[in-house]
Amino acid sequence: WLPTMLTTEGLSPALAGMGLTAYNFGGVIGAVLCALAINRFGSRGPMTFWAAMSAVTALCLKFVGVTANPEIFLWGLGLHGLFVTALQCALTALCAHIYPTLIRTTGAASAMAFGRVGAILSSFAGAAMITAGGASAYLNLLGGSMIVAAIAIGLVQSHIGPKD
């Protein structure tokens, strides 16, 4: 929904496409950085930090005028993508760690299926948020979701330990 949200807020389709590119490019960098942090410190701290920063970046973007400061907004999207995409990648690794060997495939596949259901539902939620309140409502939804994710990650009992 990112390009739709950006064009609805008044950006040209070309700039809206650049927003998606910035988001995904940030995600590639973030995934590598998060993997390195997990190897060094274990998963609980880095994943909680990445989730919290996902919330912070989404909520801070509300205060940047999309049309008044498109460059800053695009950089912010890249930073937000850095945290969100890295967290999504790390959650897959955590799933493989949490489940015992006997049910690991079923557990990880069930988690991924639940994620796909979330992706389907998010298309409706994203449209509803953009229709109801534009970028601000959309960013509230993203920020709020990431606050819930940070809390949930903190509640997980078994995390990946640091590598020596």
Side-chain angles (χ1 to χ4, degrees):
W1 284 104
L2 189 56
T4 301
M5 186 259 309
L6 293 174
T7 54
T8 301
E9 292 295 314
L11 288 186
S12 69
L15 276 178
M18 287 176 66
L20 188 58
T21 301
Y23 187 90
N24 288 321
F25 187 70
V28 170
I29 294 168
V32 171
L33 293 175
C34 189
L36 292 171
I38 289 172
N39 275 335
R40 175 121 192 230
F41 303 108
S43 63
R44 183 181 304 275
M47 288 180 71
T48 303
F49 173 77
W50 255 255
M53 291 307 296
S54 296
V56 167
T57 54
L59 296 173
C60 283
L61 280 171
K62 289 176 41 170
F63 300 105
V64 178
V66 177
T67 54
N69 299 302
E71 296 84 11
I72 294 172
F73 197 85
L74 294 179
W75 278 101
L77 286 176
L79 190 60
H80 181 67
L82 180 144
F83 292 115
V84 171
T85 303
L87 184 61
Q88 289 173 331
C89 294
L91 283 170
T92 303
L94 186 60
C95 280
H97 174 77
I98 289 174
Y99 293 104
T101 305
L102 188 62
I103 63 164
R104 184 165 294 149
T105 303
T106 303
S110 297
M112 289 183 196
F114 187 76
R116 291 294 88 206
V117 170
I120 292 166
L121 294 176
S122 73
S123 65
F124 297 106
M129 290 295 108
I130 291 169
T131 301
S136 182
Y138 182 75
L139 293 168
N140 279 338
L141 177 66
L142 289 178
S145 299
M146 296 319 301
I147 290 169
V148 171
I151 293 167
I153 289 166
L155 294 174
V156 171
Q157 297 297 314
S158 177
H159 273 270
I160 300 166
K163 304 294 180 217
D164 295 327

